[in-house]
Amino acid sequence: MPAAVLQVLAIVLFLGGLIFVHELGHFLVAKALGVKVLRFSIGFGPRILGFRRGETEYWLSAFPLGGYVRMAGDVGEDPEKAAPEDRGRGYLDQSPWRRLAISLAGPGMNLVFPALVYLALAVAEQGHPVPGPFIGTVAPGSPAAAAGLRPGDRILSVAAPGVPARPVRRFGDLRDLVSPHP
């Protein structure tokens, strides 16, 4: 596959993930507050894939550069036409504080999600060995080449003249040990 296609695909997947998390925030808070959610869509335009579960349709739409959560009683809908069992479950039927919570939930998820990912990665690392830094490239004539380092070598420890060897567990350890001794 050409590199340009892979780059576009990576961007679409990255943006799709951000959009999903954002819309999921609106969706979860709306459902928690009892608002009827009619559709959860990633993308705009015509439906490509979709299914219905309960009272909500889940769509993957043709243009993946956005998404939306369509709620009952939204702008442009006549609240009088709502089914009797759905009265009071529309977005515009909610108090201003509830509407504000639903509206802020999307951007809030975009702020919380990276912190949760970071926390999950940090927790997953605890108690498990993390490979130390590996050499990527060695410039000819560099001190690394003179020391006999080769691409793919793993740095286990660093010693300086008159300083005992210190273990290297992460790339940051290597940087901290080497930078004072260029």
Side-chain angles (χ1 to χ4, degrees):
M1 200 178 278
V5 173
L6 290 175
Q7 288 176 336
V8 169
L9 188 60
I11 289 169
V12 168
L13 287 173
F14 176 73
L15 286 176
L18 291 177
I19 292 164
F20 175 79
V21 166
H22 179 91
E23 298 305 334
L24 185 64
H26 296 305
F27 175 83
L28 292 174
V29 171
K31 289 294 246 182
L33 294 176
V35 175
K36 182 176 183 177
V37 177
L38 302 172
R39 183 176 304 140
F40 178 94
S41 178
I42 300 301
F44 297 111
R47 181 185 78 161
I48 295 174
L49 299 169
F51 63 93
R52 181 187 244 349
R53 182 169 179 195
E55 61 190 16
T56 306
E57 292 180 294
Y58 299 89
W59 282 18
L60 179 62
S61 299
F63 307 109
L65 298 177
Y68 62 94
V69 174
R70 183 170 171 236
M71 295 170 238
D74 208 344
V75 177
E77 289 187 21
D78 186 0
E80 298 300 319
K81 292 183 180 177
E85 65 271 10
D86 289 338
R87 299 233 170 134
R89 293 188 63 209
Y91 176 74
L92 293 178
D93 295 332
Q94 305 304 309
S95 69
W97 292 111
R98 286 175 163 232
R99 290 194 311 259
L100 181 66
I102 293 168
S103 296
L104 292 178
M109 281 289 278
N110 285 127
L111 293 173
V112 170
F113 183 68
L116 292 175
V117 169
Y118 181 80
L119 180 66
L121 291 173
V123 167
E125 183 180 301
Q126 296 299 317
H128 300 287
V130 177
F134 289 88
I135 303 293
T137 59
V138 178
S142 68
L149 295 177
R150 297 183 313 264
D153 285 352
R154 179 176 172 198
I155 307 297
L156 300 174
S157 64
V158 173
V163 179
R166 302 211 27 217
V168 174
R169 298 165 96 198
R170 297 176 178 84
F171 188 80
D173 296 342
L174 177 64
R175 183 188 57 238
D176 294 343
L177 293 168
V178 172
S179 60
H181 309 283

